[in-house]
Amino acid sequence: MPEPKSAELLSARGVAELLGVNPSTVSKWRAGRQELPFLKIGGQFYYQRTDVLAYLERARVEAER
């Protein structure tokens, strides 16, 4: 499925590529209610790039010194 025209939206595949995970992992996160908001448009799921980046920031763990 091609990416939507808006540069701000990513498909599950786009999120997977950005995060370096398998697209099925993104689907499992969605089903498991991870803290990654999504949009459902016409039976397809999309993620706002800003939400994905915020999710990464929340998952960040600072190294102990």
Side-chain angles (χ1 to χ4, degrees):
M1 179 89 187
E3 290 292 318
K5 297 219 183 260
S6 171
E8 294 297 318
L9 294 179
L10 298 170
S11 65
R13 182 178 302 272
V15 172
E17 289 175 7
L18 181 65
L19 300 181
V21 299
N22 193 297
S24 65
T25 300
V26 177
S27 296
K28 289 176 187 174
W29 288 347
R30 186 176 61 246
R33 303 290 184 223
Q34 286 288 335
E35 294 178 22
L36 183 56
F38 61 90
L39 303 164
K40 184 176 180 185
I41 303 170
Q44 298 295 316
F45 297 97
Y46 298 100
Y47 303 81
Q48 291 184 327
R49 181 179 295 273
T50 54
D51 288 338
V52 175
L53 296 176
Y55 174 77
L56 284 176
E57 190 60 33
R58 288 189 306 270
R60 183 180 183 150
V61 177
E62 295 290 331
E64 292 184 29
R65 294 181 184 216

